[in-house]
Amino acid sequence: MEVLLDDGTPVMVKRADAPGAVRAEVAGLRWLAAAGAVRLPAVLGHDERWMVTERVATGDPDAKAALRFGQALAALHASGAPRFGSAPPGGPREAYIGLAPMRNTEGADWSGWYAEHRVLPYVRGAVERGTLRPGEAAVFERVCARLPELAGPAEPPARLHGDLWNGNVLWGADGEVRLIDPAAHGGHRETDLAMLQLFGCPHLDRVLAGYRESAPLADGWRERVGVHQLFPLLVHAVLFGRGYAEQALSVARGALAV
């Protein structure tokens, strides 16, 4: 929510009751900002439940800003992370993506780490909630077994925003994009791009053009989009129900058909 300080300065105030959620978000914002690439609102103060950040004056999406955003996102990813699953410095291992728990456990191999820590935990969570039927879990298990061949060329760990859907992209009135609400961790750069495509983004073609000009993507990246979208789709299946589970099943079956 937006509030005014005593001197009239507008700021954004956010409350999170889950243990460690504010610490995780603050650490993520600072880690992403430290790359000096994508802009993020400054953290003005926080405790265990509350976080105060600068307010961003927003404007209309702009094609030139989108191109610059793509270039900045490429630079953010290139700033790297120690390992897949690395938490931001000072951030907790037990973090969150939206309202869903997200464990930052490190791994050296992306396909194995992605299966164990970004796909299968949410498959199990969706089954426990009745969003996925028990027999449907096997579809995702087959995708995970084939991830080494579906993953494309090996890439180093990237510094990810981690929850990069359009609602977390602010188009500033000054013509610059800011990112908010990260679930930051070390991961595969195509995961951020896939999430950006999953829920739509203004001028997405220009964002991708700027990105690819700065950091070309490996051949076959378009065919891998669905594999990287399994993570956010399954998170949404856990949080929001059967519709997302059916979408995740469709994407998983599509990956198996390649």
Side-chain angles (χ1 to χ4, degrees):
M1 62 180 174
E2 181 178 336
V3 301
L4 294 178
L5 300 180
D6 289 343
D7 64 1
T9 302
V11 297
M12 299 303 295
V13 177
K14 181 177 179 179
R15 178 185 173 115
D17 291 324
V22 168
R23 185 158 61 93
E25 185 164 346
V26 168
L29 286 168
R30 289 175 171 165
W31 188 47
L32 299 179
V38 175
R39 297 191 180 191
L40 297 104
V43 177
L44 303 177
H46 71 94
D47 60 18
E48 287 300 308
R49 299 293 184 198
W50 296 91
M51 178 178 70
V52 181
T53 62
E54 67 174 327
R55 176 187 175 275
V56 176
T58 56
D60 294 326
D62 175 82
K64 292 181 179 179
L67 187 72
R68 292 194 298 271
F69 170 45
Q71 294 165 342
L73 186 60
L76 172 67
H77 290 164
S79 66
R83 292 166 69 88
F84 296 111
S86 291
R93 177 182 177 185
E94 303 295 333
Y96 296 86
I97 176 166
L99 297 175
M102 183 186 78
R103 178 169 294 168
N104 285 320
T105 300
E106 293 187 342
D109 171 74
W110 180 78
S111 60
W113 168 83
Y114 186 68
E116 184 176 355
H117 300 293
R118 292 296 182 268
V119 176
L120 295 178
Y122 301 99
V123 171
R124 292 190 291 269
V127 170
E128 290 169 1
R129 288 163 176 76
T131 305
L132 276 175
R133 302 179 184 97
E136 293 171 334
V139 177
F140 301 99
E141 292 166 357
R142 290 198 296 274
V143 172
C144 288
R146 288 189 55 192
L147 274 177
E149 65 181 274
L150 296 173
E155 298 220 0
R159 190 173 305 197
L160 298 191
H161 176 279
D163 193 9
L164 194 58
W165 71 287
N166 183 52
N168 288 338
V169 178
L170 299 184
W171 300 84
D174 60 359
E176 299 296 333
V177 167
R178 272 84 164 175
L179 300 183
I180 61 171
D181 296 349
H185 62 279
H188 196 302
R189 61 190 180 130
E190 291 178 14
T191 303
D192 261 358
L193 296 177
M195 193 179 297
L196 199 61
Q197 294 173 73
L198 179 59
F199 299 113
C201 176
H203 305 293
L204 179 60
D205 59 332
R206 303 308 297 153
V207 176
L208 293 174
Y211 190 101
R212 296 174 66 197
E213 288 173 9
S214 300
L217 294 164
D219 290 346
W221 69 272
R222 294 185 187 278
E223 288 70 39
R224 293 188 293 272
V225 167
V227 168
H228 290 275
Q229 288 178 343
L230 287 177
F231 170 42
L233 283 172
L234 287 165
V235 169
H236 278 68
V238 169
L239 293 175
F240 304 120
R242 179 65 186 175
Y244 287 107
E246 291 175 348
Q247 192 174 351
L249 281 165
S250 176
V251 167
R253 288 168 177 146
L256 291 171
V258 172

